[in-house]
Amino acid sequence: MQPQSLNIAGIGKGFGADDVLKGIDLSIRPGEFLSLVGMSGCGKSTLLRIIAGLETADRGTVSIGSRDVTDVDPSDRNLAMVFQSYALYPHMTVRDNIATPLRMRRLSVWSRLPLIGRMIANAETLREIDASVKEAADVLQIGHLLDRRPAQLSGGQRQRVALARALVRSPSAFLMDEPLSNLDAKLRAHMRGELTNLHSRLGATFIYVTHDQIEAMTMSDRIALMSEGRIEQLGTPDELYRRPSTLTVARFIGSPSINLLPVELDASGEIVLFGQKLGITARNAWPGPATLGIRAEDVFPAADGIEASLVRTETQGADRFVTFNLICDPSISIVMRQRVGDDLGADADGNVRLAFSKEGVHLFGSDEKRREITVHEQVPA
Amino acid sequence: MAALRRYLPHVVLAAGAFVMLLPFYWMFLTSIRSPAEIFSVSLWPIPEKFAALDNYSRAASQVPMLRFMMNGVIVCFGILIVQVLTAVPAAYALAKLRFPGRKLLLTLVIAALTVPIQALALPLFVGLAKAQLLNTYFAMMMPFLLSVFAIFLFNQSFRSYPDEIIEAARMDGFSELEICFRLVLRGSLPSLAAFSVFSLVAHWNDLYWPMIVVTDTNLAPPPLGMLFFADVESGANYGALMAGATIITAPMVVCFLLARKHFIAGITMTGVK
């Protein structure tokens, strides 16, 4: 099956008085790995379930390729879904679990019955199904588990069975609803790599729902970041990281979280931080309060920086994250990323002066939208 | 003191079990005693004159015992099969599907649990009589074919079935009926076993309804047959009567022992929820 594009137009959905989705438009290219990320309750799972056909939208359309599937049953959309709990059939062996989607499609109602079904069914079809099951099991390296039941498998193995069950039917697209969130941290990192490999090997369209920005950043071709039933920003992981279009995106993407500082814009648009001009001007922005976002890797110790007191250090192998509170406003904390062994330049009281690279700052207006900036040489105050 | 605390519950439970089991033991004892010993109050298990052969052969030959048992099997399994076929989809819909009026229907099911068969006996009898269906197997089964108890029990147990598996099945192409019987019911086998025991025992032992709708000896299920037997014998031969009672009780005991593990899992599971 050729990878298919998916088009979602004007999807809206409400549960009771709440609008969970407020008009979602999204085109997914054939063969693309697209992640839907956001906090829980942002509507990402509902959107995925609407694409799958498990939920009906109040308005809007879903199409796969050029076919409008808005009113088509889930089983006729030719999509495969991997669930958070894996949703394996508990009483069936791994072999039967993987074979089920094919049996349901290729065998008649009578030949699907237990026991007598095998006698009625076309032997050729059964052989084909067995061969496809073996092939899918080999792709996911679970050939030796085929005769076990789900209860006898570990979380990672169940995950593989769920993936094999999805890919055995060569769907137009794979839908994944937080498939890694039940695994432990190490296995999760490993499965991220495997999913990426699987995606490039199959060349299929993947739609991946997660609340974990690291999963989205590491695997996706593009990310749609959702918040309160809307798509906040759609772009490559790099775009979301380097040019977050709103404060919500900036806060969500990146680990550790972006540092946020309250600033003022003066009449000329110059950014003023605690009474100090930074040599950065906002384009097209009116005076008033704003927020400055700075990533941890753009913070460094400097003799002419803002004074801050050391709170704690978290070493992560080669790098460490150092947390400070500002002296002028201790409620604001700043995280700095540094190579282990690099000097902090602390003074006698243990205080450090911090500066940041001006190219790395993100400015957000009082409406939380991104503002473009111009960096110029700082005028000594 | 510690020993007392340890054994006291067992003593209490054993006393309870004794009270429950005594009538059955007495029944069995009477069925192997000779008429001379029937009214002896001794609980000693070995009678002076062992009359089991005589009593049992009389019970088996005097009345068509096999016929009664056969009738019982037909009626009980007829009821059970239709009950399961109707209650399982109903319970699945109430437990797992979203539709308007679901809460109201569930309330009606629970309300219907409180209506005793005696209250419906007269209209049912008149209806069956008008339809000329008295003295049929159908008349014996009809009031019990739709079991609200079964709907209630299965509803409780289906609720805990994971939604994601049902959704996976929908995407795989299962029809709702296949989901219902091949997946959800499959996951509730203890409840099915528990309900089967309840249903089989209740209708195997039922005397009230068959007595109302059946007068033909050929259609009588075991308890009604025993009643005919007692009439024939004018209630004189208690030994043979109790032998008959033992014969008709035995299948139920066997049925319970076979399903015991599932039965207990079934009622404790729905009890917790």
Side-chain angles (χ1 to χ4, degrees), chain B residues 63-265:
Chain B
V63 286
M65 189 58 83
L66 207 62
R67 176 85 212 185
F68 295 158
M69 303 275 265
M70 197 56 205
N71 291 338
V73 168
I74 291 172
V75 170
C76 288
F77 279 92
I79 290 173
L80 178 65
I81 289 166
V82 180
Q83 279 178 334
V84 171
L85 286 179
T86 51
V88 166
Y92 170 70
L94 289 173
K96 288 295 180 192
L97 304 182
R98 275 180 286 165
F99 55 91
R102 192 175 68 114
K103 283 226 173 86
L104 179 71
L105 285 174
L106 196 59
T107 315
L108 285 177
V109 165
I110 294 166
L113 276 175
T114 63
V115 179
I117 172 76
Q118 285 79 358
L120 305 172
L122 197 58
L124 282 171
F125 177 80
V126 172
L128 287 167
K130 290 256 172 193
Q132 310 238 308
L133 284 168
L134 292 180
N135 269 322
T136 58
Y137 285 127
F138 179 77
M140 281 189 278
M141 297 192 264
M142 201 280 280
F144 311 108
L145 293 180
L146 302 178
S147 165
V148 280
F149 174 66
I151 296 175
F152 179 72
L153 188 82
F154 286 129
N155 172 60
Q156 294 301 95
S157 120
F158 288 177
R159 263 189 209 179
S160 60
Y161 198 81
D163 288 326
E164 288 199 339
I165 297 183
I166 295 176
E167 287 173 349
R170 281 190 191 133
M171 297 201 68
D172 281 348
F174 281 78
S175 70
E176 291 298 311
L177 274 180
E178 279 176 305
I179 292 176
C180 182
F181 283 100
R182 288 186 54 190
L183 297 176
V184 181
L185 182 61
R186 182 69 199 246
S188 298
L189 285 185
S191 295
L192 180 62
F195 174 70
S196 302
V197 171
F198 276 132
S199 171
L200 289 175
V201 170
H203 298 112
W204 183 268
N205 291 337
D206 188 19
L207 175 63
Y208 174 78
W209 188 249
M211 205 162 83
I212 291 177
V213 293
V214 168
T215 48
D216 183 349
T217 321
N218 278 328
L219 291 174
L224 188 60
M226 287 307 296
L227 201 67
F228 292 148
F229 184 32
D231 284 344
V232 168
E233 294 284 305
S234 323
N237 194 339
Y238 288 114
L241 201 58
M242 287 303 116
T246 308
I247 293 173
I248 66 168
T249 314
M252 286 301 102
V253 176
V254 172
C255 162
F256 173 74
L257 288 179
L258 287 179
R260 186 179 49 157
K261 208 177 91 192
H262 290 307
F263 177 76
I264 291 166

Side-chain angles (χ1 to χ4, degrees), chain A residues 99-111:
Chain A
T100 295
L102 296 181
R103 288 195 189 138
M104 299 312 288
R105 274 184 173 63
R106 298 197 197 155
L107 298 179
S108 68
V109 175
W110 295 109
S111 45

Side-chain angles (χ1 to χ4, degrees), chain A residues 26-142:
Chain A
L26 186 61
S27 321
I28 298 143
R29 302 172 193 135
E32 185 175 32
F33 193 130
L34 182 120
S35 293
L36 298 170
V37 293
M39 311 288 254
S40 53
C42 70
K44 57 192 191 298
S45 282
T46 308
L47 180 60
L48 192 76
R49 293 164 54 80
I50 287 173
I51 297 172
L54 295 170
E55 203 91 61
T56 42
D58 297 340
R59 55 191 179 277
T61 58
V62 178
S63 27
I64 301 172
S66 53
R67 175 173 168 235
D68 183 341
V69 295
T70 314
D71 298 316
V72 172
D73 277 344
S75 58
D76 297 330
R77 296 189 181 196
N78 197 29
L79 299 170
M81 185 140 164
V82 178
F83 294 87
Q84 184 173 359
S85 65
Y86 319 132
L88 301 176
Y89 304 120
H91 62 283
M92 295 185 193
T93 60
V94 168
R95 185 192 308 278
D96 289 337
N97 261 290
I98 301 174
T100 295
L102 296 181
R103 288 195 189 138
M104 299 312 288
R105 274 184 173 63
R106 298 197 197 155
L107 298 179
S108 68
V109 175
W110 295 109
S111 45
R112 296 203 299 247
L113 289 175
L115 302 176
I116 55 163
R118 267 207 104 81
M119 290 177 241
I120 311 173
N122 183 332
E124 182 62 27
T125 316
L126 288 180
R127 257 198 305 280
E128 279 172 27
I129 291 177
D130 279 349
S132 309
V133 169
K134 272 207 98 59
E135 202 183 306
D138 285 343
V139 170
L140 288 146
Q141 296 150 23
I142 48 171

Side-chain angles (χ1 to χ4, degrees), chain A residues 135-349:
Chain A
E135 202 183 306
D138 285 343
V139 170
L140 288 146
Q141 296 150 23
I142 48 171
H144 57 294
L145 302 173
L146 285 178
D147 294 314
R148 298 220 196 146
R149 283 173 202 278
Q152 298 166 301
L153 302 178
S154 70
Q157 290 170 331
R158 286 181 208 183
Q159 175 68 74
R160 284 164 197 270
V161 176
L163 284 168
R165 185 176 66 178
L167 73 88
V168 74
R169 55 201 249 193
S170 319
S172 314
F174 289 83
L175 311 180
M176 308 206 176
D177 190 1
E178 312 221 5
L180 303 186
S181 56
N182 283 358
L183 301 178
D184 63 62
K186 191 154 187 164
L187 194 54
R188 198 180 308 164
H190 176 75
M191 286 305 291
R192 282 208 302 262
E194 290 219 1
L195 276 178
T196 315
N197 291 347
L198 190 67
H199 174 246
S200 54
R201 179 168 174 177
L202 299 173
T205 312
F206 277 45
I207 304 177
Y208 188 98
V209 162
T210 179
H211 64 271
D212 182 351
Q213 56 98 15
I214 296 177
E215 282 179 18
M217 294 291 281
T218 48
M219 297 193 286
S220 320
D221 295 324
R222 281 194 303 164
I223 297 175
L225 195 146
M226 292 182 63
S227 168
E228 291 174 2
R230 284 199 182 81
I231 292 181
E232 197 85 11
Q233 188 174 2
L234 173 66
T236 64
D238 207 48
E239 281 167 5
L240 262 69
Y241 190 78
R242 294 189 190 283
R243 294 184 52 79
S245 65
T246 66
L247 203 52
T248 312
V249 177
R251 278 203 194 102
F252 195 84
I253 299 289
S255 173
S257 295
I258 195 165
N259 298 306
L260 296 173
L261 296 172
V263 293
E264 292 283 331
L265 300 186
D266 69 12
S268 61
E270 176 90 28
I271 299 174
V272 184
L273 175 65
F274 301 121
Q276 197 182 357
K277 289 191 176 178
L278 295 178
I280 309 171
T281 314
R283 292 183 223 158
N284 317 322
W286 47 91
T291 307
L292 204 59
I294 306 154
R295 299 273 179 209
E297 61 267 28
D298 294 321
V299 181
F300 53 86
D304 58 347
I306 315 164
E307 207 176 2
S309 63
L310 184 70
V311 178
R312 66 176 169 273
T313 305
E314 292 165 48
T315 304
Q316 309 230 329
D319 284 350
R320 62 181 173 197
F321 298 120
V322 193
T323 308
F324 301 94
N325 284 344
L326 293 188
I327 297 287
C328 56
D329 185 349
S331 69
I332 297 171
S333 59
I334 297 273
V335 180
M336 175 178 76
R337 179 178 191 148
Q338 198 186 36
R339 302 290 294 180
V340 169
D342 280 3
D343 190 21
L344 279 177
D347 64 18
D349 301 330

